[in-house]
């Protein structure tokens, strides 16, 4: 269970409620493929996952999920423009090498982007930092998403990042430290949300044509 410094055990039903039926779904870092399998069986979606970890890839394939052994940091150019309705990135944005590049590729590939992002300034994390004296730099010369400091980003940081790239947040679900929806956290997500799910709409414009996502 995630308690501010680990991985959320994501409940598939929470994300499935955000994915339209019959969507073409691309899951970046699909792990064992169970989330995609849930979309396929409960929402009649067409799902594709990419996963670099070989054991996870094998597990996903055994679950009858179309999973590709690709690196999301390098291989997203393999996908055509507007080839998916929904692109999902769950819990691993803070681990990608170039978040700006991955964000741009997601917006090019799909219309709706769903991101589950951990919140490092969640109140439990703040207590751990105080108790264990983990240093957090306050004077980095570059924005968090352009450095190796992605792991230090909180809810407010991500909101500013999305806005800077004209990504419209159409829904936000705040989760507690165990990955359960927590409505009260919406009042102060930077403090009370252990993680958040954002549903974003892309306004990507095809170069040279002026056409954008509908």
């Amino acid at each position: 269970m995630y308690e501010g410094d680990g991985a959320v055990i994501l409940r598939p039903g929470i994300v499935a409620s955000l994915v339209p039926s019959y969507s073409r779904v691309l899951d970046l870092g699909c792990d064992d493929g169970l989330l995609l399998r849930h979309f396929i069986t409960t929402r009649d979606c067409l799902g594709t996952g990419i996963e670099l970890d070989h054991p996870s890839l094998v597990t996903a394939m055994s679950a009858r999920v179309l999973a590709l052994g690709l690196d999301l940091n390098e291989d997203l150019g393999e996908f055509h423009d507007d080839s998916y309705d929904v692109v999902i990135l769950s819990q691993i944005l803070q681990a990608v090498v170039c978040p700006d590049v991955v964000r741009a590729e997601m917006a090019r590939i799909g219309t709706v982007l769903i991101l589950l992002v951990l919140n490092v300034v969640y109140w439990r994390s703040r207590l751990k930092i105080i108790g264990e004296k983990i240093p957090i730099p306050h004077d980095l010369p570059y924005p968090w998403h352009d450095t190796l400091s992605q792991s230090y980003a909180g809810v407010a940081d991500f909101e500013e990042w999305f806005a800077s790239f004209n990504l419209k947040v159409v829904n936000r679900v705040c989760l507690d430290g165990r990955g359960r929806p927590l409505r009260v956290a919406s009042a102060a997500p930077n403090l009370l949300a252990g993680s958040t799910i954002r549903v974003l709409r892309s306004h990507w414009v095809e170069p040279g044509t002026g056409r954008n996502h509908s």
Side-chain angles (χ1 to χ4, degrees):
M1 290 293 185
Y2 171 70
E3 287 293 350
D5 57 358
V8 172
I9 296 180
L10 184 62
R11 291 156 175 79
I14 298 174
V15 181
S17 66
L18 304 172
V19 175
S21 297
Y22 310 108
S23 296
R24 299 165 298 167
V25 180
L26 176 64
D27 188 357
L28 306 181
C30 68
D31 193 42
D32 56 13
L34 294 184
L35 182 62
L36 262 181
R37 188 65 194 164
H38 186 79
F39 297 151
I40 294 169
T41 57
T42 67
R43 311 292 285 182
D44 294 312
C45 293
L46 296 175
T48 305
I50 72 170
E51 178 57 58
L52 199 58
D53 179 69
H54 184 70
S56 296
L57 185 64
V58 171
T59 301
M61 294 174 68
S62 68
R64 293 177 296 168
V65 168
L66 175 59
L68 308 175
L70 300 176
D71 186 340
L72 68 87
N73 289 300
E74 300 179 357
D75 299 327
L76 293 185
E78 299 291 328
F79 297 95
H80 294 299
D81 301 347
D82 298 319
S83 52
Y84 288 86
D85 302 305
V86 179
V87 183
I88 297 175
L89 186 67
S90 176
Q91 305 187 63
I92 57 174
L93 176 62
Q94 291 152 304
V96 301
V97 176
C98 297
D100 284 353
V101 174
V102 170
R103 175 217 57 82
E105 287 288 80
M106 290 176 66
R108 178 185 63 80
I109 295 168
T111 303
V112 175
L113 317 181
I114 298 179
L115 295 90
L116 171 61
V117 183
L118 304 180
N119 176 25
V120 76
V121 294
Y122 176 50
W123 71 271
R124 289 185 182 272
S125 297
R126 299 187 191 198
L127 290 180
K128 285 180 175 290
I129 290 170
I130 293 173
E132 299 173 12
K133 296 180 169 46
I134 300 174
I136 294 183
H138 296 286
D139 55 350
L140 290 171
Y142 306 105
W144 63 269
H145 51 85
D146 196 30
T147 71
L148 294 180
S149 66
Q150 298 100 300
S151 59
Y152 296 121
V155 174
D157 297 303
F158 282 112
E159 296 290 350
E160 292 178 0
W161 185 53
F162 297 142
S164 71
F165 286 101
N166 197 28
L167 289 173
K168 181 181 179 180
V169 180
V170 296
N171 197 356
R172 182 178 68 188
V173 179
C174 293
L175 307 176
D176 65 12
R178 295 182 181 273
R180 299 169 299 196
L182 185 65
R183 289 187 178 182
V184 68
S186 298
N190 222 38
L191 178 64
L192 299 178
S195 57
T196 57
I197 300 174
R198 270 58 158 242
V199 181
L200 311 168
R201 180 164 293 277
S202 168
H203 295 288
W204 176 78
V205 176
E206 183 178 348
T209 68
R211 295 195 300 267
N212 63 357
H213 288 306
S214 60

